[in-house]
Amino acid sequence: MHWLLAPTTRPFIATAALASLLLNLALLAPALYMLQVYDRVFASRSLETLALLTLLAGGALLLAGAMDRARALALEAAGRALDAALAPAALRALLVDAATARGRLDRQALQDVARLRGFLGGPAVQALFDAPWLPLYLGVITALHPALGALALAAAGLLFGLGLVSERLLRAPAEAATTAARAAAGQVDALTRHAEPLLGMGMLGAGLARWAAGHQRALEAQSQAGRSHAGLAALGRGLRQGVQVAMLGLGAWLVVAEHASPGIMLAATVLVGRALQPVDHLIAGWKALLDVRAAWRRLGAAPAEPEAATAVRLPRPRGELRLERVSLRGAADAATIVKSVSLLLPAGECLGIVGPSGAGKTSLLRLMLGLRAPQLGCVRLDGTDLAAWPAEQRAAAVGYLPQDGALFDGSVAQNIARLGPVDSDQVLRAARRAGVHELIARLPQAYETEIGVDGLRLSGGQRQRIALARALYGDPALVVLDEPDAGLDAEGEQALDAALQALKADGVTVVLVSHRTRLMRHADRLAVLRDGALEICGPREEVQARLSGRTVLPLRAAEPAHAAQGSRA
């Protein structure tokens, strides 16, 4: 359990350990109180002695209660500190992984963080803090009588052996149960995301059947782990109670043989029960220990650090975009989806990317945005590798409109401001540049209108137009638009046309993907993708003529944009 000593939790764990020491020292008082009452008070019949002993024992129990509470508060604070260190980093990594499609991060990372936090507030961790003080109790019992100490030591060794056996027997079933449960949860997530086609095409029954099969496997794995855990826990409790009976019997024999007093017999019995209780609780909670250990390993065995800030900020980009023989493969062993693409887009020009579905257009955009890193080649913004740009500076200089708009729960202004602090002037400027100010003004609360999760309170066209304003927020030097005309009505298309003309007039570099040739009239040059390869690239008129078969211009396949520019000159 070395993860308890992570730097973020170390001060709280140290406080909890100190509180545990004082707590266990104070809990010696009841046994010693019994010893003194039987051996001193009964012999002397002194009520003053009884009152003093009772007062001391009561004070010790008050101290024990205070230390128990202090430990609980320290462990709760440790849980909060661990959550503060891990949860944002886990969510950030999850979102980065989802955006870049790397597929490496465990999708249940936040649940693992919650599991660790819950463990720090549960009874198993308290037993973990009490177990190290077992030698203290064994020492006191041995001081009462060596034979009683030997029995207590043998019992402790037996229980620790049972703990090791529990770890071996429960590890595989616990891991299998966790894996099966996570797989079933993943199926629920997938079914939820695709609920509409399930209902619309009558696939609900088949989908439920697939989930039921996985859920049944998870239940069976959990049942097997639960049976093993219940048997071992019951064995541990029975063993501890048997030790107490044996301790009482041995103490009684020593009393009869006049080798010990009745007070020693009772005190030793109480102490051995207290000494072995945390070990018993550890065995009962062994599955929880295995779960949190596995959760910590999945989280990377150390708190993730936020991305280090870059000391040197680069000059604000002008928007020149260069791709140098970039290639990108799909997940796992999938085929290459972008194949050795090279092009140069000068600052202030508009590049239109066309091609059939599945040609790799969106993947190429992700490379341009730095969402995916090419396996081969390099993507440069103003001559600097995208990976070398400070993340915040690069994000501020780039505007991106994905196919689905991707709005978030909040107000219109908050969405346009990219969920950051709302700069009213910048929000209004972006809305006017996108031609959506009048549309927003007609909403119930204008810019303060709450749009709901995914913008569901808006129509598809409204979401797309507000997402365009978000892409233009902050006057980016490079704007990447993926199907910006999807779902737009005539008014929206006119506003999009005006926005593209204004961007070109302002010298903004624009990359535009659309299946509609009407929108490509704004492009200075066209790139045609097919099967991930750049088939044609050059000035718009020449490429369109080439595609229509009405020209004999010697355009070369996969010709870099800057080469075409030179030939045109």
Side-chain angles (χ1 to χ4, degrees), residues 198-542:
L198 284 173
L199 290 175
M201 296 186 288
M203 300 164 58
L204 183 59
L208 290 176
R210 289 174 63 87
W211 167 81
H215 185 60
Q216 185 61 33
R217 288 193 295 271
L219 291 178
E220 291 173 356
Q222 291 172 354
S223 177
Q224 180 183 354
R227 287 193 299 268
S228 301
H229 177 258
L232 291 168
L235 181 59
R237 287 191 297 270
L239 182 59
R240 182 168 66 89
Q241 292 168 357
V243 169
Q244 287 183 283
V245 171
M247 183 67 72
L248 186 60
L250 178 60
W253 180 81
L254 292 173
V255 171
V256 172
E258 298 183 351
H259 295 303
S261 65
I264 289 177
M265 174 189 70
L266 291 176
T269 303
V270 172
L271 286 173
V272 79
R274 170 61 193 168
L276 299 180
Q277 185 181 37
V279 182
D280 179 21
H281 286 172
L282 283 178
I283 295 173
W286 206 264
K287 185 175 181 297
L289 294 175
L290 293 175
D291 287 344
V292 296
R293 184 176 69 179
W296 180 258
R297 287 177 176 173
R298 285 193 295 268
L299 288 169
E305 297 294 334
E307 182 176 324
T310 303
V312 178
R313 288 180 62 86
L314 297 173
R316 176 178 172 80
R318 296 176 293 105
E320 180 188 274
L321 191 65
R322 182 191 298 270
L323 278 67
E324 300 174 352
R325 302 185 64 82
V326 295
S327 295
L328 177 67
R329 293 184 62 85
D333 296 327
T336 302
I337 50 180
V338 175
K339 304 174 183 176
S340 191
V341 171
S342 296
L343 60 85
L344 171 64
L345 179 60
E349 292 198 5
C350 178
L351 172 68
I353 302 177
V354 297
S357 298
K361 300 185 297 297
T362 298
S363 296
L364 185 61
L365 293 189
R366 289 171 178 160
L367 286 170
M368 293 177 176
L369 292 166
L371 297 178
R372 299 291 302 272
Q375 277 79 33
L376 296 174
C378 181
V379 181
R380 299 184 183 276
L381 180 61
D382 281 14
T384 302
D385 192 331
L386 276 181
W389 281 89
E392 292 186 0
Q393 187 180 4
R394 183 183 65 195
V398 174
Y400 175 44
L401 173 62
Q403 291 181 3
D404 58 359
L407 298 183
F408 299 91
D409 189 17
S411 68
V412 172
Q414 289 169 340
N415 273 272
I416 294 177
R418 304 187 181 186
L419 303 183
V422 176
D423 184 327
S424 300
D425 293 337
Q426 288 286 353
V427 168
L428 290 172
R429 173 172 168 78
R432 289 193 171 98
R433 292 182 80 189
V436 74
H437 174 72
E438 290 75 12
L439 182 151
I440 296 174
R442 293 195 297 267
L443 295 176
Q445 283 84 41
Y447 284 88
E448 298 304 317
T449 302
E450 295 289 328
I451 64 176
V453 178
D454 294 330
L456 291 179
R457 297 177 186 171
L458 304 175
S459 69
Q462 289 174 327
R463 292 196 294 269
Q464 195 76 349
R465 295 179 65 183
I466 291 173
L468 175 61
R470 180 185 62 192
L472 304 184
Y473 181 80
D475 295 329
L478 171 65
V479 175
V480 178
L481 308 176
D482 193 0
E483 302 286 350
D485 50 352
L488 295 184
D489 56 14
E491 179 185 347
E493 290 180 350
Q494 292 176 1
L496 176 61
D497 288 337
L500 289 173
Q501 291 173 1
L503 289 174
K504 292 180 65 177
D506 292 340
V508 177
T509 306
V510 179
V511 178
L512 179 64
V513 169
S514 178
H515 287 286
R516 301 182 184 180
T517 56
R518 181 195 67 82
L519 204 59
M520 290 303 161
R521 69 178 184 273
H522 299 286
D524 297 298
R525 53 190 65 250
L526 285 180
V528 180
L529 277 183
R530 190 178 302 276
D531 296 328
L534 190 58
E535 191 173 69
I536 309 173
C537 185
R540 172 173 53 87
E541 298 84 357
E542 295 180 2

